[in-house]
Amino acid sequence: MQDAEDVRRICLSLPDTTEKIAWSMPTFRVAGKMFATLPEEETSIAVRCPKEERDELVLAEPGKFWIADHEAGFAWVRVRLASLEDSDELRDILADSWRQAAPTRLLESYPELGLPADG
């Protein structure tokens, strides 16, 4: 099962990422822009996700993905860590969120991380 330390290790392995406590929880930022948080006693993560994709994910896998009430108006989705298959799935989710927050200069410097779907 994936846990907060796996999230921390993967996030901090992504280029120009820092960890900062905000709202009494760990948050991860690329070039100062938040792309992941560890709310709910660190049993889930919140990540950036375009609203259209987010809604599809929640409908397709409600045991894995959900939308927190206070984030409903924003392009974020929650992911239950216990429902993830393995560290590769966690890394894919975090890297996708990182790409959505990363500035163009970083995306160009790390082509192996790919580009966001809409970019």
Side-chain angles (χ1 to χ4, degrees), residues 8-111:
R8 184 170 281 109
R9 176 181 45 78
I10 292 169
C11 284
L12 294 176
S13 75
L14 295 167
D16 203 13
T17 295
T18 57
E19 180 176 351
K20 178 181 178 182
I21 300 296
W23 307 288
S24 302
M25 70 179 137
T27 66
F28 299 90
R29 300 159 189 260
V30 55
K33 195 170 180 183
M34 193 164 45
F35 71 92
T37 68
L38 268 166
E40 269 79 58
E41 289 76 45
E42 300 186 353
T43 61
S44 70
I45 56 174
V47 293
R48 291 177 171 269
C49 184
K51 287 183 186 177
E52 311 75 43
E53 289 177 33
R54 174 189 77 177
D55 295 343
E56 289 175 20
L57 286 172
V58 171
L59 285 172
E61 297 185 78
K64 185 180 291 188
F65 301 100
W66 89 99
I67 302 166
D69 290 342
H70 68 280
E71 294 168 346
F74 302 96
W76 285 79
V77 68
R78 298 286 178 99
V79 185
R80 291 175 180 86
L81 292 175
S83 68
L84 296 175
E85 292 177 28
D86 55 28
S87 61
D88 288 342
E89 185 178 18
L90 176 60
R91 181 171 176 72
D92 288 348
I93 289 168
L94 291 169
D96 186 57
S97 187
W98 179 91
R99 284 189 294 273
Q100 292 175 58
T104 303
R105 68 176 169 78
L106 279 177
L107 296 173
E108 291 172 350
S109 296
Y110 296 92

